[in-house]
Amino acid sequence: MNSALTAIGLSVPVLAAPMAGGATTPRLVTAAAEAGGLGLLAGGYKRPEALAEQIAEVRAAAVPFGVNLFAPNPIPADPAAYRRYAGTIQPEADHYGLDLATVPLTEDDDHWRDKIDLLLADPVPLASFTFGIPDPAVIKALRAAGTLIAQTVTSAEEALRAADAGVNLLAVQAGAAGGHSGTLTPDRLPAATPITQLLREVAQVTDLPLIAAGGLATGDAVAEVLRAGAVAAMVGTVLIRADESGASKTHQDALADPARDRTLVTRAFTGRPARALRNAFTDRYDHLAPAGYPALHHLTGPLRRAAAAAGDAERLHLWAGTGYRHASAEPAARILARLTANL
């Protein structure tokens, strides 16, 4: 493993991916660290005050950890397309008495500056960024504060851009990953490059240490990416059903449903490419959804929250990587131990 990661406490080459929206909890991050790995709090969609509370909770456990933020890289929504899509999916919202016409077209930056200020005022061991690359001045300031910086990339070209910006590590994410793609060009679907090939392509353009991510859910898959040159593997979907996960029961149950037979990359829920289990919502609207993030995320948010609460898996974003069949309901430590048992 890379000395930078071992220096902050990693003894087993597996990281628990930051899963925004509730799946990643301080308990999950702590459990990953206590198993010898390292977890990253998901700063996306959280107000700075809520993120600060989670940081304090993990600090109290005295374990190594990281924080992931969404770096601004919006896809501005066309107002006419946004309203048209709101009308198209309104029948789904009618099921819960919701009027999507009242949801304003929102183009925000997820409290970006306030969250950076938080990490500068209260430095964490590791900060990672997804969706966009922070300004080099931000990266420099965080590094000066003693924070290790990782950047999610999905191609060799993106890896070069991240290296030029001054990051320490690259989280190389393949298209098999569940949830949102970290692609820097979210107006189009990311390439379906296998993770081992992607690692080789990135290693040809930079000497930065590489963390492999995307569809890794078995011990064999973890061993394969380590042999391919990664210093560690990052896993997410395989932990969604863990005891410490904060994912909704609706989401967890869907991962175990034998009738859920495939995943797809869709922008139907948020206007940005994301891999999810196929359901009625993706069947009806995948081909109709316009690009537009975060506007579509805010538009469908009330519907998705209602669906999760009602146990309605057909109207919920069932984020899942291609290894979702291996997600199991047990302690995170046991899951991580199984992934690294034969290393």
Side-chain angles (χ1 to χ4, degrees), residues 91-96 98 248-254 257 260 269 278-281 284 302-318:
E92 311 300 333
D94 288 341
H95 191 77
Y96 295 105
L98 301 170
S248 70
K249 185 176 186 301
T250 308
H251 190 177
Q252 294 189 22
D253 289 348
D257 184 351
R260 303 283 174 189
F269 293 106
R278 174 186 173 185
N279 63 4
F281 195 91
R284 293 167 187 156
L303 170 60
R304 291 182 285 132
R305 287 189 290 273
D312 179 1
E314 299 304 330
R315 295 179 176 87
L316 181 63
H317 57 296
L318 303 173

PDB file of all heavy atoms in Angstrom, residues 91-96 98 248-254 257 260 269 278-281 284 302-318:
ATOM      1  N   PRO A  91     -47.572  12.159 -12.930  1.00  0.00           N
ATOM      2  CA  PRO A  91     -48.419  11.025 -12.502  1.00  0.00           C
ATOM      3  C   PRO A  91     -47.804  10.188 -11.386  1.00  0.00           C
ATOM      4  O   PRO A  91     -48.540   9.621 -10.558  1.00  0.00           O
ATOM      5  CB  PRO A  91     -48.571  10.208 -13.794  1.00  0.00           C
ATOM      6  CG  PRO A  91     -48.455  11.220 -14.894  1.00  0.00           C
ATOM      7  CD  PRO A  91     -47.425  12.203 -14.398  1.00  0.00           C
ATOM      8  N   GLU A  92     -46.482  10.096 -11.336  1.00  0.00           N
ATOM      9  CA  GLU A  92     -45.838   9.365 -10.240  1.00  0.00           C
ATOM     10  C   GLU A  92     -45.998  10.130  -8.928  1.00  0.00           C
ATOM     11  O   GLU A  92     -46.226   9.545  -7.870  1.00  0.00           O
ATOM     12  CB  GLU A  92     -44.355   9.129 -10.538  1.00  0.00           C
ATOM     13  CG  GLU A  92     -44.056   8.567 -11.912  1.00  0.00           C
ATOM     14  CD  GLU A  92     -44.708   7.218 -12.159  1.00  0.00           C
ATOM     15  OE1 GLU A  92     -44.948   6.484 -11.177  1.00  0.00           O
ATOM     16  OE2 GLU A  92     -44.971   6.899 -13.334  1.00  0.00           O
ATOM     17  N   ALA A  93     -45.857  11.444  -9.000  1.00  0.00           N
ATOM     18  CA  ALA A  93     -46.000  12.280  -7.809  1.00  0.00           C
ATOM     19  C   ALA A  93     -47.441  12.310  -7.320  1.00  0.00           C
ATOM     20  O   ALA A  93     -47.698  12.439  -6.110  1.00  0.00           O
ATOM     21  CB  ALA A  93     -45.520  13.695  -8.113  1.00  0.00           C
ATOM     22  N   ASP A  94     -48.394  12.177  -8.249  1.00  0.00           N
ATOM     23  CA  ASP A  94     -49.807  12.165  -7.854  1.00  0.00           C
ATOM     24  C   ASP A  94     -50.094  11.038  -6.864  1.00  0.00           C
ATOM     25  O   ASP A  94     -50.977  11.161  -6.009  1.00  0.00           O
ATOM     26  CB  ASP A  94     -50.696  11.980  -9.095  1.00  0.00           C
ATOM     27  CG  ASP A  94     -50.730  13.221  -9.982  1.00  0.00           C
ATOM     28  OD1 ASP A  94     -50.380  14.316  -9.494  1.00  0.00           O
ATOM     29  OD2 ASP A  94     -51.105  13.075 -11.163  1.00  0.00           O
ATOM     30  N   HIS A  95     -49.334   9.968  -6.966  1.00  0.00           N
ATOM     31  CA  HIS A  95     -49.518   8.821  -6.082  1.00  0.00           C
ATOM     32  C   HIS A  95     -49.330   9.219  -4.622  1.00  0.00           C
ATOM     33  O   HIS A  95     -49.899   8.591  -3.716  1.00  0.00           O
ATOM     34  CB  HIS A  95     -48.509   7.732  -6.473  1.00  0.00           C
ATOM     35  CG  HIS A  95     -48.738   6.413  -5.827  1.00  0.00           C
ATOM     36  ND1 HIS A  95     -49.722   5.530  -6.232  1.00  0.00           N
ATOM     37  CD2 HIS A  95     -48.111   5.812  -4.778  1.00  0.00           C
ATOM     38  CE1 HIS A  95     -49.688   4.453  -5.465  1.00  0.00           C
ATOM     39  NE2 HIS A  95     -48.721   4.592  -4.579  1.00  0.00           N
ATOM     40  N   TYR A  96     -48.555  10.301  -4.390  1.00  0.00           N
ATOM     41  CA  TYR A  96     -48.276  10.760  -3.026  1.00  0.00           C
ATOM     42  C   TYR A  96     -48.812  12.163  -2.749  1.00  0.00           C
ATOM     43  O   TYR A  96     -48.432  12.790  -1.759  1.00  0.00           O
ATOM     44  CB  TYR A  96     -46.764  10.706  -2.762  1.00  0.00           C
ATOM     45  CG  TYR A  96     -46.236   9.295  -2.778  1.00  0.00           C
ATOM     46  CD1 TYR A  96     -45.506   8.827  -3.864  1.00  0.00           C
ATOM     47  CD2 TYR A  96     -46.523   8.411  -1.745  1.00  0.00           C
ATOM     48  CE1 TYR A  96     -45.055   7.518  -3.905  1.00  0.00           C
ATOM     49  CE2 TYR A  96     -46.076   7.102  -1.776  1.00  0.00           C
ATOM     50  CZ  TYR A  96     -45.349   6.656  -2.851  1.00  0.00           C
ATOM     51  OH  TYR A  96     -44.913   5.357  -2.895  1.00  0.00           O
ATOM     52  N   LEU A  98     -48.226  14.931  -4.364  1.00  0.00           N
ATOM     53  CA  LEU A  98     -47.194  15.949  -4.548  1.00  0.00           C
ATOM     54  C   LEU A  98     -47.421  16.698  -5.853  1.00  0.00           C
ATOM     55  O   LEU A  98     -47.810  16.105  -6.859  1.00  0.00           O
ATOM     56  CB  LEU A  98     -45.802  15.296  -4.576  1.00  0.00           C
ATOM     57  CG  LEU A  98     -45.391  14.499  -3.342  1.00  0.00           C
ATOM     58  CD1 LEU A  98     -44.105  13.723  -3.625  1.00  0.00           C
ATOM     59  CD2 LEU A  98     -45.201  15.427  -2.149  1.00  0.00           C
ATOM     60  N   SER A 248     -32.192   3.340   3.110  1.00  0.00           N
ATOM     61  CA  SER A 248     -33.570   2.994   3.455  1.00  0.00           C
ATOM     62  C   SER A 248     -33.789   1.490   3.343  1.00  0.00           C
ATOM     63  O   SER A 248     -33.122   0.788   2.568  1.00  0.00           O
ATOM     64  CB  SER A 248     -34.543   3.716   2.521  1.00  0.00           C
ATOM     65  OG  SER A 248     -34.457   3.186   1.205  1.00  0.00           O
ATOM     66  N   LYS A 249     -34.736   0.987   4.121  1.00  0.00           N
ATOM     67  CA  LYS A 249     -35.075  -0.429   4.047  1.00  0.00           C
ATOM     68  C   LYS A 249     -35.553  -0.781   2.645  1.00  0.00           C
ATOM     69  O   LYS A 249     -35.280  -1.883   2.138  1.00  0.00           O
ATOM     70  CB  LYS A 249     -36.147  -0.782   5.070  1.00  0.00           C
ATOM     71  CG  LYS A 249     -36.467  -2.277   5.150  1.00  0.00           C
ATOM     72  CD  LYS A 249     -37.464  -2.579   6.247  1.00  0.00           C
ATOM     73  CE  LYS A 249     -37.672  -4.091   6.411  1.00  0.00           C
ATOM     74  NZ  LYS A 249     -38.164  -4.733   5.167  1.00  0.00           N
ATOM     75  N   THR A 250     -36.231   0.149   1.999  1.00  0.00           N
ATOM     76  CA  THR A 250     -36.710  -0.081   0.631  1.00  0.00           C
ATOM     77  C   THR A 250     -35.546  -0.353  -0.305  1.00  0.00           C
ATOM     78  O   THR A 250     -35.587  -1.278  -1.128  1.00  0.00           O
ATOM     79  CB  THR A 250     -37.503   1.139   0.144  1.00  0.00           C
ATOM     80  OG1 THR A 250     -38.507   1.470   1.105  1.00  0.00           O
ATOM     81  CG2 THR A 250     -38.164   0.865  -1.197  1.00  0.00           C
ATOM     82  N   HIS A 251     -34.503   0.439  -0.177  1.00  0.00           N
ATOM     83  CA  HIS A 251     -33.306   0.284  -1.008  1.00  0.00           C
ATOM     84  C   HIS A 251     -32.595  -1.027  -0.666  1.00  0.00           C
ATOM     85  O   HIS A 251     -32.225  -1.811  -1.558  1.00  0.00           O
ATOM     86  CB  HIS A 251     -32.379   1.483  -0.773  1.00  0.00           C
ATOM     87  CG  HIS A 251     -31.232   1.569  -1.716  1.00  0.00           C
ATOM     88  ND1 HIS A 251     -30.328   2.611  -1.689  1.00  0.00           N
ATOM     89  CD2 HIS A 251     -30.812   0.747  -2.717  1.00  0.00           C
ATOM     90  CE1 HIS A 251     -29.413   2.427  -2.633  1.00  0.00           C
ATOM     91  NE2 HIS A 251     -29.685   1.300  -3.270  1.00  0.00           N
ATOM     92  N   GLN A 252     -32.417  -1.298   0.613  1.00  0.00           N
ATOM     93  CA  GLN A 252     -31.721  -2.511   1.028  1.00  0.00           C
ATOM     94  C   GLN A 252     -32.454  -3.765   0.565  1.00  0.00           C
ATOM     95  O   GLN A 252     -31.833  -4.720   0.060  1.00  0.00           O
ATOM     96  CB  GLN A 252     -31.546  -2.518   2.542  1.00  0.00           C
ATOM     97  CG  GLN A 252     -30.631  -1.414   3.056  1.00  0.00           C
ATOM     98  CD  GLN A 252     -30.289  -1.573   4.525  1.00  0.00           C
ATOM     99  OE1 GLN A 252     -30.371  -2.655   5.070  1.00  0.00           O
ATOM    100  NE2 GLN A 252     -29.886  -0.495   5.164  1.00  0.00           N
ATOM    101  N   ASP A 253     -33.759  -3.764   0.715  1.00  0.00           N
ATOM    102  CA  ASP A 253     -34.540  -4.929   0.302  1.00  0.00           C
ATOM    103  C   ASP A 253     -34.476  -5.139  -1.205  1.00  0.00           C
ATOM    104  O   ASP A 253     -34.462  -6.280  -1.683  1.00  0.00           O
ATOM    105  CB  ASP A 253     -35.995  -4.774   0.739  1.00  0.00           C
ATOM    106  CG  ASP A 253     -36.183  -4.915   2.241  1.00  0.00           C
ATOM    107  OD1 ASP A 253     -35.231  -5.353   2.930  1.00  0.00           O
ATOM    108  OD2 ASP A 253     -37.281  -4.589   2.736  1.00  0.00           O
ATOM    109  N   ALA A 254     -34.434  -4.050  -1.961  1.00  0.00           N
ATOM    110  CA  ALA A 254     -34.376  -4.171  -3.419  1.00  0.00           C
ATOM    111  C   ALA A 254     -33.094  -4.855  -3.873  1.00  0.00           C
ATOM    112  O   ALA A 254     -33.093  -5.626  -4.840  1.00  0.00           O
ATOM    113  CB  ALA A 254     -34.500  -2.784  -4.060  1.00  0.00           C
ATOM    114  N   ASP A 257     -33.636  -8.512  -3.709  1.00  0.00           N
ATOM    115  CA  ASP A 257     -34.796  -9.020  -4.446  1.00  0.00           C
ATOM    116  C   ASP A 257     -34.326  -9.777  -5.690  1.00  0.00           C
ATOM    117  O   ASP A 257     -33.750  -9.179  -6.601  1.00  0.00           O
ATOM    118  CB  ASP A 257     -35.690  -7.849  -4.842  1.00  0.00           C
ATOM    119  CG  ASP A 257     -36.967  -8.294  -5.539  1.00  0.00           C
ATOM    120  OD1 ASP A 257     -37.098  -9.486  -5.872  1.00  0.00           O
ATOM    121  OD2 ASP A 257     -37.832  -7.425  -5.785  1.00  0.00           O
ATOM    122  N   ARG A 260     -34.912  -8.374  -9.228  1.00  0.00           N
ATOM    123  CA  ARG A 260     -34.136  -7.246  -9.755  1.00  0.00           C
ATOM    124  C   ARG A 260     -32.938  -7.828 -10.495  1.00  0.00           C
ATOM    125  O   ARG A 260     -31.928  -8.185  -9.894  1.00  0.00           O
ATOM    126  CB  ARG A 260     -33.661  -6.340  -8.614  1.00  0.00           C
ATOM    127  CG  ARG A 260     -34.780  -5.804  -7.736  1.00  0.00           C
ATOM    128  CD  ARG A 260     -35.516  -4.688  -8.397  1.00  0.00           C
ATOM    129  NE  ARG A 260     -36.674  -4.280  -7.594  1.00  0.00           N
ATOM    130  CZ  ARG A 260     -37.603  -3.441  -8.005  1.00  0.00           C
ATOM    131  NH1 ARG A 260     -37.504  -2.906  -9.202  1.00  0.00           N
ATOM    132  NH2 ARG A 260     -38.609  -3.132  -7.228  1.00  0.00           N
ATOM    133  N   PHE A 269     -33.454  10.165 -12.580  1.00  0.00           N
ATOM    134  CA  PHE A 269     -33.720  10.665 -11.234  1.00  0.00           C
ATOM    135  C   PHE A 269     -33.078  12.014 -10.946  1.00  0.00           C
ATOM    136  O   PHE A 269     -33.640  12.822 -10.211  1.00  0.00           O
ATOM    137  CB  PHE A 269     -33.226   9.652 -10.197  1.00  0.00           C
ATOM    138  CG  PHE A 269     -33.994   8.366 -10.185  1.00  0.00           C
ATOM    139  CD1 PHE A 269     -33.440   7.216 -10.714  1.00  0.00           C
ATOM    140  CD2 PHE A 269     -35.269   8.312  -9.652  1.00  0.00           C
ATOM    141  CE1 PHE A 269     -34.143   6.019 -10.707  1.00  0.00           C
ATOM    142  CE2 PHE A 269     -35.984   7.120  -9.641  1.00  0.00           C
ATOM    143  CZ  PHE A 269     -35.425   5.967 -10.173  1.00  0.00           C
ATOM    144  N   ARG A 278     -32.737  -1.414 -12.291  1.00  0.00           N
ATOM    145  CA  ARG A 278     -33.871  -1.096 -13.166  1.00  0.00           C
ATOM    146  C   ARG A 278     -35.171  -1.207 -12.369  1.00  0.00           C
ATOM    147  O   ARG A 278     -35.352  -2.123 -11.569  1.00  0.00           O
ATOM    148  CB  ARG A 278     -33.886  -2.089 -14.331  1.00  0.00           C
ATOM    149  CG  ARG A 278     -35.091  -1.978 -15.240  1.00  0.00           C
ATOM    150  CD  ARG A 278     -35.085  -3.081 -16.269  1.00  0.00           C
ATOM    151  NE  ARG A 278     -36.316  -3.073 -17.045  1.00  0.00           N
ATOM    152  CZ  ARG A 278     -36.624  -3.985 -17.961  1.00  0.00           C
ATOM    153  NH1 ARG A 278     -35.779  -4.982 -18.199  1.00  0.00           N
ATOM    154  NH2 ARG A 278     -37.759  -3.911 -18.623  1.00  0.00           N
ATOM    155  N   ASN A 279     -36.067  -0.254 -12.561  1.00  0.00           N
ATOM    156  CA  ASN A 279     -37.397  -0.342 -11.964  1.00  0.00           C
ATOM    157  C   ASN A 279     -38.404   0.344 -12.886  1.00  0.00           C
ATOM    158  O   ASN A 279     -38.060   0.747 -14.005  1.00  0.00           O
ATOM    159  CB  ASN A 279     -37.418   0.236 -10.540  1.00  0.00           C
ATOM    160  CG  ASN A 279     -37.089   1.717 -10.479  1.00  0.00           C
ATOM    161  OD1 ASN A 279     -36.907   2.386 -11.508  1.00  0.00           O
ATOM    162  ND2 ASN A 279     -37.003   2.248  -9.267  1.00  0.00           N
ATOM    163  N   ALA A 280     -39.629   0.474 -12.429  1.00  0.00           N
ATOM    164  CA  ALA A 280     -40.668   1.042 -13.283  1.00  0.00           C
ATOM    165  C   ALA A 280     -40.339   2.477 -13.680  1.00  0.00           C
ATOM    166  O   ALA A 280     -40.622   2.889 -14.815  1.00  0.00           O
ATOM    167  CB  ALA A 280     -42.019   0.977 -12.559  1.00  0.00           C
ATOM    168  N   PHE A 281     -39.754   3.243 -12.766  1.00  0.00           N
ATOM    169  CA  PHE A 281     -39.438   4.644 -13.073  1.00  0.00           C
ATOM    170  C   PHE A 281     -38.410   4.733 -14.202  1.00  0.00           C
ATOM    171  O   PHE A 281     -38.569   5.514 -15.137  1.00  0.00           O
ATOM    172  CB  PHE A 281     -38.919   5.352 -11.820  1.00  0.00           C
ATOM    173  CG  PHE A 281     -38.908   6.850 -11.938  1.00  0.00           C
ATOM    174  CD1 PHE A 281     -40.001   7.599 -11.550  1.00  0.00           C
ATOM    175  CD2 PHE A 281     -37.798   7.509 -12.450  1.00  0.00           C
ATOM    176  CE1 PHE A 281     -39.996   8.989 -11.665  1.00  0.00           C
ATOM    177  CE2 PHE A 281     -37.774   8.890 -12.564  1.00  0.00           C
ATOM    178  CZ  PHE A 281     -38.887   9.633 -12.172  1.00  0.00           C
ATOM    179  N   ARG A 284     -39.945   3.822 -17.572  1.00  0.00           N
ATOM    180  CA  ARG A 284     -40.841   4.818 -18.161  1.00  0.00           C
ATOM    181  C   ARG A 284     -40.135   6.100 -18.581  1.00  0.00           C
ATOM    182  O   ARG A 284     -40.517   6.731 -19.567  1.00  0.00           O
ATOM    183  CB  ARG A 284     -41.944   5.171 -17.147  1.00  0.00           C
ATOM    184  CG  ARG A 284     -42.908   4.054 -16.847  1.00  0.00           C
ATOM    185  CD  ARG A 284     -43.752   4.372 -15.623  1.00  0.00           C
ATOM    186  NE  ARG A 284     -44.569   3.235 -15.213  1.00  0.00           N
ATOM    187  CZ  ARG A 284     -45.030   3.047 -13.988  1.00  0.00           C
ATOM    188  NH1 ARG A 284     -44.756   3.927 -13.031  1.00  0.00           N
ATOM    189  NH2 ARG A 284     -45.765   1.984 -13.704  1.00  0.00           N
ATOM    190  N   PRO A 302     -38.623  15.164  -3.591  1.00  0.00           N
ATOM    191  CA  PRO A 302     -39.813  14.881  -2.772  1.00  0.00           C
ATOM    192  C   PRO A 302     -40.456  13.537  -3.114  1.00  0.00           C
ATOM    193  O   PRO A 302     -40.896  12.808  -2.218  1.00  0.00           O
ATOM    194  CB  PRO A 302     -40.751  16.042  -3.109  1.00  0.00           C
ATOM    195  CG  PRO A 302     -39.845  17.152  -3.561  1.00  0.00           C
ATOM    196  CD  PRO A 302     -38.728  16.468  -4.284  1.00  0.00           C
ATOM    197  N   LEU A 303     -40.496  13.200  -4.391  1.00  0.00           N
ATOM    198  CA  LEU A 303     -41.063  11.924  -4.810  1.00  0.00           C
ATOM    199  C   LEU A 303     -40.233  10.759  -4.291  1.00  0.00           C
ATOM    200  O   LEU A 303     -40.770   9.764  -3.773  1.00  0.00           O
ATOM    201  CB  LEU A 303     -41.150  11.883  -6.340  1.00  0.00           C
ATOM    202  CG  LEU A 303     -41.500  10.537  -6.973  1.00  0.00           C
ATOM    203  CD1 LEU A 303     -42.854  10.035  -6.488  1.00  0.00           C
ATOM    204  CD2 LEU A 303     -41.472  10.644  -8.500  1.00  0.00           C
ATOM    205  N   ARG A 304     -38.919  10.860  -4.393  1.00  0.00           N
ATOM    206  CA  ARG A 304     -38.048   9.773  -3.957  1.00  0.00           C
ATOM    207  C   ARG A 304     -38.120   9.577  -2.446  1.00  0.00           C
ATOM    208  O   ARG A 304     -38.090   8.443  -1.956  1.00  0.00           O
ATOM    209  CB  ARG A 304     -36.619  10.032  -4.425  1.00  0.00           C
ATOM    210  CG  ARG A 304     -36.472   9.927  -5.939  1.00  0.00           C
ATOM    211  CD  ARG A 304     -35.058  10.140  -6.409  1.00  0.00           C
ATOM    212  NE  ARG A 304     -34.649  11.527  -6.366  1.00  0.00           N
ATOM    213  CZ  ARG A 304     -33.514  11.985  -5.846  1.00  0.00           C
ATOM    214  NH1 ARG A 304     -32.671  11.155  -5.258  1.00  0.00           N
ATOM    215  NH2 ARG A 304     -33.218  13.258  -5.882  1.00  0.00           N
ATOM    216  N   ARG A 305     -38.195  10.667  -1.708  1.00  0.00           N
ATOM    217  CA  ARG A 305     -38.323  10.541  -0.246  1.00  0.00           C
ATOM    218  C   ARG A 305     -39.640   9.870   0.127  1.00  0.00           C
ATOM    219  O   ARG A 305     -39.683   9.020   1.030  1.00  0.00           O
ATOM    220  CB  ARG A 305     -38.198  11.914   0.415  1.00  0.00           C
ATOM    221  CG  ARG A 305     -36.781  12.471   0.413  1.00  0.00           C
ATOM    222  CD  ARG A 305     -36.666  13.710   1.262  1.00  0.00           C
ATOM    223  NE  ARG A 305     -37.352  14.855   0.669  1.00  0.00           N
ATOM    224  CZ  ARG A 305     -36.796  15.693  -0.210  1.00  0.00           C
ATOM    225  NH1 ARG A 305     -35.547  15.510  -0.608  1.00  0.00           N
ATOM    226  NH2 ARG A 305     -37.481  16.721  -0.684  1.00  0.00           N
ATOM    227  N   ALA A 306     -40.691  10.240  -0.551  1.00  0.00           N
ATOM    228  CA  ALA A 306     -41.991   9.634  -0.272  1.00  0.00           C
ATOM    229  C   ALA A 306     -41.983   8.149  -0.614  1.00  0.00           C
ATOM    230  O   ALA A 306     -42.525   7.316   0.124  1.00  0.00           O
ATOM    231  CB  ALA A 306     -43.087  10.359  -1.056  1.00  0.00           C
ATOM    232  N   ALA A 307     -41.355   7.802  -1.728  1.00  0.00           N
ATOM    233  CA  ALA A 307     -41.292   6.400  -2.138  1.00  0.00           C
ATOM    234  C   ALA A 307     -40.498   5.570  -1.144  1.00  0.00           C
ATOM    235  O   ALA A 307     -40.892   4.447  -0.793  1.00  0.00           O
ATOM    236  CB  ALA A 307     -40.676   6.304  -3.535  1.00  0.00           C
ATOM    237  N   ALA A 308     -39.383   6.106  -0.671  1.00  0.00           N
ATOM    238  CA  ALA A 308     -38.570   5.377   0.305  1.00  0.00           C
ATOM    239  C   ALA A 308     -39.363   5.117   1.577  1.00  0.00           C
ATOM    240  O   ALA A 308     -39.324   4.006   2.135  1.00  0.00           O
ATOM    241  CB  ALA A 308     -37.303   6.161   0.617  1.00  0.00           C
ATOM    242  N   ALA A 309     -40.070   6.128   2.036  1.00  0.00           N
ATOM    243  CA  ALA A 309     -40.842   5.989   3.276  1.00  0.00           C
ATOM    244  C   ALA A 309     -41.983   4.995   3.126  1.00  0.00           C
ATOM    245  O   ALA A 309     -42.359   4.311   4.093  1.00  0.00           O
ATOM    246  CB  ALA A 309     -41.389   7.349   3.703  1.00  0.00           C
ATOM    247  N   ALA A 310     -42.539   4.907   1.910  1.00  0.00           N
ATOM    248  CA  ALA A 310     -43.695   4.038   1.679  1.00  0.00           C
ATOM    249  C   ALA A 310     -43.304   2.624   1.265  1.00  0.00           C
ATOM    250  O   ALA A 310     -44.180   1.776   1.057  1.00  0.00           O
ATOM    251  CB  ALA A 310     -44.582   4.651   0.603  1.00  0.00           C
ATOM    252  N   GLY A 311     -42.003   2.357   1.123  1.00  0.00           N
ATOM    253  CA  GLY A 311     -41.576   1.039   0.674  1.00  0.00           C
ATOM    254  C   GLY A 311     -41.825   0.812  -0.799  1.00  0.00           C
ATOM    255  O   GLY A 311     -41.965  -0.333  -1.251  1.00  0.00           O
ATOM    256  N   ASP A 312     -41.861   1.894  -1.560  1.00  0.00           N
ATOM    257  CA  ASP A 312     -42.176   1.852  -2.994  1.00  0.00           C
ATOM    258  C   ASP A 312     -40.884   1.838  -3.806  1.00  0.00           C
ATOM    259  O   ASP A 312     -40.344   2.884  -4.160  1.00  0.00           O
ATOM    260  CB  ASP A 312     -43.038   3.068  -3.346  1.00  0.00           C
ATOM    261  CG  ASP A 312     -43.408   3.137  -4.808  1.00  0.00           C
ATOM    262  OD1 ASP A 312     -43.028   2.232  -5.571  1.00  0.00           O
ATOM    263  OD2 ASP A 312     -44.091   4.115  -5.189  1.00  0.00           O
ATOM    264  N   ALA A 313     -40.396   0.650  -4.118  1.00  0.00           N
ATOM    265  CA  ALA A 313     -39.131   0.530  -4.840  1.00  0.00           C
ATOM    266  C   ALA A 313     -39.250   0.890  -6.308  1.00  0.00           C
ATOM    267  O   ALA A 313     -38.220   1.075  -6.981  1.00  0.00           O
ATOM    268  CB  ALA A 313     -38.602  -0.898  -4.703  1.00  0.00           C
ATOM    269  N   GLU A 314     -40.457   1.014  -6.829  1.00  0.00           N
ATOM    270  CA  GLU A 314     -40.615   1.316  -8.250  1.00  0.00           C
ATOM    271  C   GLU A 314     -40.458   2.794  -8.569  1.00  0.00           C
ATOM    272  O   GLU A 314     -40.313   3.164  -9.728  1.00  0.00           O
ATOM    273  CB  GLU A 314     -41.976   0.823  -8.749  1.00  0.00           C
ATOM    274  CG  GLU A 314     -42.177  -0.676  -8.616  1.00  0.00           C
ATOM    275  CD  GLU A 314     -41.088  -1.487  -9.311  1.00  0.00           C
ATOM    276  OE1 GLU A 314     -40.533  -1.013 -10.308  1.00  0.00           O
ATOM    277  OE2 GLU A 314     -40.799  -2.601  -8.834  1.00  0.00           O
ATOM    278  N   ARG A 315     -40.488   3.644  -7.540  1.00  0.00           N
ATOM    279  CA  ARG A 315     -40.329   5.085  -7.762  1.00  0.00           C
ATOM    280  C   ARG A 315     -39.104   5.638  -7.046  1.00  0.00           C
ATOM    281  O   ARG A 315     -38.972   6.847  -6.900  1.00  0.00           O
ATOM    282  CB  ARG A 315     -41.590   5.828  -7.305  1.00  0.00           C
ATOM    283  CG  ARG A 315     -42.841   5.488  -8.110  1.00  0.00           C
ATOM    284  CD  ARG A 315     -44.062   6.239  -7.581  1.00  0.00           C
ATOM    285  NE  ARG A 315     -45.242   5.999  -8.391  1.00  0.00           N
ATOM    286  CZ  ARG A 315     -46.085   4.982  -8.225  1.00  0.00           C
ATOM    287  NH1 ARG A 315     -45.882   4.105  -7.249  1.00  0.00           N
ATOM    288  NH2 ARG A 315     -47.137   4.839  -9.018  1.00  0.00           N
ATOM    289  N   LEU A 316     -38.227   4.751  -6.615  1.00  0.00           N
ATOM    290  CA  LEU A 316     -37.059   5.144  -5.834  1.00  0.00           C
ATOM    291  C   LEU A 316     -35.786   4.928  -6.643  1.00  0.00           C
ATOM    292  O   LEU A 316     -35.690   4.001  -7.444  1.00  0.00           O
ATOM    293  CB  LEU A 316     -36.995   4.314  -4.547  1.00  0.00           C
ATOM    294  CG  LEU A 316     -35.848   4.599  -3.582  1.00  0.00           C
ATOM    295  CD1 LEU A 316     -35.926   6.017  -3.052  1.00  0.00           C
ATOM    296  CD2 LEU A 316     -35.867   3.585  -2.432  1.00  0.00           C
ATOM    297  N   HIS A 317     -34.801   5.798  -6.410  1.00  0.00           N
ATOM    298  CA  HIS A 317     -33.480   5.631  -7.030  1.00  0.00           C
ATOM    299  C   HIS A 317     -32.741   4.516  -6.309  1.00  0.00           C
ATOM    300  O   HIS A 317     -32.219   4.708  -5.218  1.00  0.00           O
ATOM    301  CB  HIS A 317     -32.687   6.937  -6.953  1.00  0.00           C
ATOM    302  CG  HIS A 317     -32.502   7.455  -5.560  1.00  0.00           C
ATOM    303  ND1 HIS A 317     -33.545   7.870  -4.756  1.00  0.00           N
ATOM    304  CD2 HIS A 317     -31.380   7.607  -4.810  1.00  0.00           C
ATOM    305  CE1 HIS A 317     -33.076   8.261  -3.585  1.00  0.00           C
ATOM    306  NE2 HIS A 317     -31.767   8.108  -3.582  1.00  0.00           N
ATOM    307  N   LEU A 318     -32.677   3.370  -6.907  1.00  0.00           N
ATOM    308  CA  LEU A 318     -32.064   2.192  -6.279  1.00  0.00           C
ATOM    309  C   LEU A 318     -30.608   2.092  -6.714  1.00  0.00           C
ATOM    310  O   LEU A 318     -30.209   1.198  -7.469  1.00  0.00           O
ATOM    311  CB  LEU A 318     -32.838   0.933  -6.673  1.00  0.00           C
ATOM    312  CG  LEU A 318     -34.333   0.933  -6.327  1.00  0.00           C
ATOM    313  CD1 LEU A 318     -35.018  -0.286  -6.927  1.00  0.00           C
ATOM    314  CD2 LEU A 318     -34.547   0.972  -4.813  1.00  0.00           C
TER     315      LEU A 318
END
